[in-house]
Amino acid sequence: MCWYWLACGLLLILAEFAVPGLVICFFGISALIVSGIKYLFPSLSLAWQLLIFAFGGALMAAACRLLVPQGVKKRTDLKSENIDNDEVSGAVAVCVEKITPGHQGKVEFRGSFWTAVSDTEINKGEDCIIISRDNLLLKVSRNTGSCQK
């Protein structure tokens, strides 16, 4: 019966790809552990197998929820509504697609690519200053002074 647990564990781990959340995977690992225990102790009762499976999966999921958020810093997403326009105004971005008056281009800012417009021409590779942000569109101007990135 240990191969049932092995198959169940593998299916649960694969199911994690379809249902994100990093919970199903822990129960899949727990099923693999039960498979190994059942292989070593063939006389282990079904009640103990289910207990080990449930307790092991729940313990791993709880430990992950408690330990992982402390080590992973939450990245602030500039596309969210709670970012104030003042936080991006005056910052320096790099033009990655030429911007001409009346036409949109692309800039790189904080590791992300943004659509940008400008009243002046900005060539690819030039630094530009962010004037304002309207949702996902940045209004930029040519960098004429020395600003820090």
Side-chain angles (χ1 to χ4, degrees), residues 1-6 30-45 49 52:
M1 184 161 161
C2 70
W3 69 273
Y4 287 135
W5 285 109
L6 181 67
S30 183
L32 294 177
I33 291 170
V34 172
S35 173
I37 292 171
K38 179 66 177 166
Y39 180 77
L40 294 174
F41 303 100
S43 63
L44 189 66
S45 71
Q49 293 174 46
I52 294 169

Side-chain angles (χ1 to χ4, degrees), residues 68-83 87-88 107-114 136:
V68 171
Q70 294 173 6
V72 178
K73 291 186 178 183
K74 187 176 180 182
R75 180 177 174 261
T76 304
D77 188 5
L78 292 174
K79 297 175 186 174
S80 68
E81 292 299 321
N82 55 357
I83 296 295
E87 291 184 41
V88 295
V107 297
E108 181 181 359
F109 177 62
R110 292 186 183 169
S112 296
F113 295 98
W114 295 75
L136 299 178

Side-chain angles (χ1 to χ4, degrees), residues 47-76:
W48 276 106
Q49 293 174 46
L50 292 172
L51 183 66
I52 294 169
F53 169 71
F55 185 72
L59 185 65
M60 283 187 277
C64 179
R65 296 287 182 201
L66 291 175
L67 300 176
V68 171
Q70 294 173 6
V72 178
K73 291 186 178 183
K74 187 176 180 182
R75 180 177 174 261
T76 304

Side-chain angles (χ1 to χ4, degrees), residues 98-105 116-122 137 139:
K98 184 176 181 177
I99 305 169
T100 55
H103 294 91
Q104 296 179 347
V117 293
S118 177
D119 294 333
T120 59
E121 184 175 298
I122 304 172
L137 181 69
K139 181 165 180 149

